[in-house]
């Protein structure tokens, strides 16, 4: 009985944060702030939803059903996959947005604009290494 | 050879985890056929992927590092994740934001360490890693609520953005 209550509380917390992520997507002004809502809230909500699934699996396993172990382990792997891929994909989207010229709205400061472009640094390093090799040969 | 053994063992363990409940012959969870087939598959994967999986050194074999990683995930990381969500919830409801992109230099050297730190930063209060300088391992962070005090010193001090995460990451990965 107490077990069921814990499961329902976990589900409630998870759904609340996932709904909040949706509201954040609608309310925030630009790509970067929307990514804030889209990564953090969905990860946290998913942790609790998957946590409740894991608890259900343990309950079945305890009562002698072997399929409970499948539920526990597979949902734990799903949780690990979400924890790994969610920040990485957010980073990829943010980087692509900044490279294609989307500036952060209402920004106080933007130090990324001062970053030397990748092409110029690559050329510099390659020419330096080539130069030092030549020197070494001589 | 050691790289091959590590890859095969890890692959075999993951295969076993995915196939629990397939039978009742071994420890009440697996059948012999699944174990034999898992061993065969993981040897093939171990031969194919040993040079990709183990790149430069064997320092991640140390169990102390795994234990530190677990403590980090359950302790400081989960607390920061909770704070981050309450913070974002507050900003979603009130709409008070002051965004900006700042640069920090945590001074980490390995690829694994910088990946771990960037992922932690993305999942913790009000910050999102946007870009990385691959020569110096500096991170560019999008900050949803810029603190004026932090902007006085360039590059911005790590403690405003990610607390003592670099110390933990250094303990785990370097």
């Amino acid at each position: 009985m107490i077990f069921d209550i814990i499961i329902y509380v976990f589900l409630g917390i998870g759904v609340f944060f996932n709904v909040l992520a949706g509201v954040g997507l609608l309310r925030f002004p630009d790509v970067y702030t929307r990514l804030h809502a889209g990564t953090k809230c969905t990860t946290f909500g998913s942790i609790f939803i998957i946590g409740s699934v894991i608890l259900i699996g343990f309950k079945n396993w305890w009562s002698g059903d072997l399929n409970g172990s499948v539920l526990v382990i597979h949902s734990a792997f799903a949780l690990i996959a979400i924890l790994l891929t969610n920040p990485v994909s957010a980073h990829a989207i943010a980087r692509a947005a900044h490279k294609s010229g989307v500036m952060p709205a209402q920004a106080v400061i933007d130090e990324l604009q001062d970053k030397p472009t990748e092409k110029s640094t690559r050329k510099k390093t390659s020419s330096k290494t080539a130069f030092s090799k030549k020197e070494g040969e001589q | 050879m050691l790289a091959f053994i590590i890859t095969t063992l890890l692959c075999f363990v993951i295969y076993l985890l995915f196939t629990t409940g397939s039978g009742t012959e071994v420890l009440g969870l697996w059948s012999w056929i699944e174990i034999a087939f898992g061993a065969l598959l993981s040897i093939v994967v171990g031969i194919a992927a040993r040079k990709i999986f183990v790149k430069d050194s064997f320092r991640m074999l140390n169990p102390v590092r795994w234990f530190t990683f677990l403590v980090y995930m359950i302790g400081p990381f989960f607390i920061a994740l909770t704070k981050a969500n309450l913070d974002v919830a507050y900003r979603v409801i009130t709409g008070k934001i002051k965004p900006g992109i700042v640069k920090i230099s945590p001074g980490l050297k390995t690829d694994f360490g910088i990946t771990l730190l960037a992922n932690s930063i993305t999942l913790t209060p009000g910050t999102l890693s946007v870009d990385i300088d691959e020569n110096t391992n500096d991170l560019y962070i999008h900050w949803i609520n810029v603190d004026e005090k932090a902007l006085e010193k360039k590059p911005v001090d790590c403690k405003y953005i990610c607390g003592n995460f670099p110390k933990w990451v250094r303990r785990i990965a370097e």
Side-chain angles (χ1 to χ4, degrees):
Chain A
M1 188 60 206
I2 297 171
F3 217 64
D4 285 337
I5 293 173
I6 294 174
I7 289 171
Y8 283 127
V9 168
F10 271 27
L11 268 182
I13 296 173
V15 169
F16 171 73
F17 276 105
N18 275 352
V19 167
L20 213 62
V23 177
L25 279 181
L26 292 175
R27 267 183 71 95
F28 280 149
D30 72 331
V31 174
Y32 306 100
T33 40
R34 280 176 183 169
L35 277 174
H36 276 286
T39 53
K40 294 187 210 354
C41 290
T42 48
T43 312
F44 198 65
S46 305
I47 285 177
F48 277 97
I49 289 177
I50 292 175
S52 69
V53 174
I54 288 176
L55 284 180
I56 292 172
F58 269 125
K59 199 183 159 195
N60 288 351
W61 201 355
W62 191 252
S63 58
D65 185 6
L66 266 187
N67 288 328
S69 69
V70 180
L71 199 58
V72 169
I73 291 166
H74 285 213
S75 30
F77 268 100
L79 180 60
I80 293 171
I82 288 175
L83 273 181
L84 282 178
T85 54
N86 207 337
V88 173
S89 56
H91 161 73
I93 295 172
R95 187 160 180 266
H98 205 281
K99 285 213 161 178
S100 54
V102 181
M103 292 301 131
Q106 309 167 17
V108 184
I109 181 171
D110 189 356
E111 287 183 352
L112 187 52
Q113 280 178 333
D114 309 330
K115 185 194 174 189
T117 54
E118 232 171 70
K119 275 183 188 171
S120 63
T121 52
R122 249 184 218 164
K123 268 181 195 168
K124 268 180 201 169
T125 50
S126 63
S127 62
K128 263 183 195 171
T129 49
F131 190 62
S132 57
K133 265 184 193 172
K134 269 181 196 170
E135 276 188 334
E137 279 169 10
Q138 283 170 356
Chain B
M1 192 60 200
L2 191 57
F4 167 70
I5 292 171
I6 293 163
T7 318
T8 309
L9 271 184
L10 190 75
C11 204
F12 189 52
V13 168
I14 290 175
Y15 189 91
L16 286 187
L17 285 180
F18 269 128
T19 54
T20 54
S22 62
T24 51
E25 291 154 33
V26 185
L27 298 174
L29 284 176
W30 296 281
S31 63
W32 284 113
I33 291 179
E34 284 289 356
I35 289 187
F37 198 64
L40 188 73
L41 273 184
S42 42
I43 287 172
V44 171
V45 172
I47 292 170
R50 63 184 193 282
K51 279 178 189 162
I52 303 168
F53 188 64
V54 182
K55 273 231 169 99
D56 43 1
S57 73
F58 293 104
R59 66 174 185 285
M60 288 310 293
L61 268 186
N62 190 349
V64 177
R65 289 179 191 274
W66 305 347
F67 184 71
T68 325
F69 182 68
L70 265 186
V71 170
Y72 168 72
M73 287 303 276
I74 295 169
F77 180 74
F78 195 75
I79 292 170
L81 190 57
T82 315
K83 264 194 222 160
N85 281 279
L86 296 178
D87 183 64
V88 170
Y90 169 74
R91 288 188 202 291
V92 166
I93 292 166
T94 60
K96 275 183 200 162
I97 52 170
K98 201 164 93 181
I101 295 181
V102 296
K103 175 181 168 185
I104 62 168
S105 42
L108 298 170
K109 292 182 199 78
T110 56
D111 282 353
F112 179 69
I114 205 78
T115 313
L116 193 59
L117 183 68
N119 275 4
S120 308
I121 283 174
T122 298
L123 290 177
T124 50
T127 47
L128 175 80
S129 48
V130 175
D131 206 347
I132 180 173
D133 190 337
E134 283 175 16
N135 295 324
T136 54
N137 278 350
D138 289 347
L139 287 168
Y140 292 88
I141 310 286
H142 183 270
W143 200 358
I144 204 168
N145 188 29
V146 174
D147 192 349
E148 295 288 341
K149 268 188 288 176
L151 294 182
E152 288 163 10
K153 205 179 114 198
K154 297 285 177 67
V156 175
D157 206 348
C158 287
K159 76 177 180 198
Y160 291 104
I161 302 223
C162 44
N164 53 0
F165 281 179
K167 265 186 206 164
W168 278 95
V169 170
R170 209 164 288 139
R171 230 174 280 161
I172 292 166
E174 284 182 8

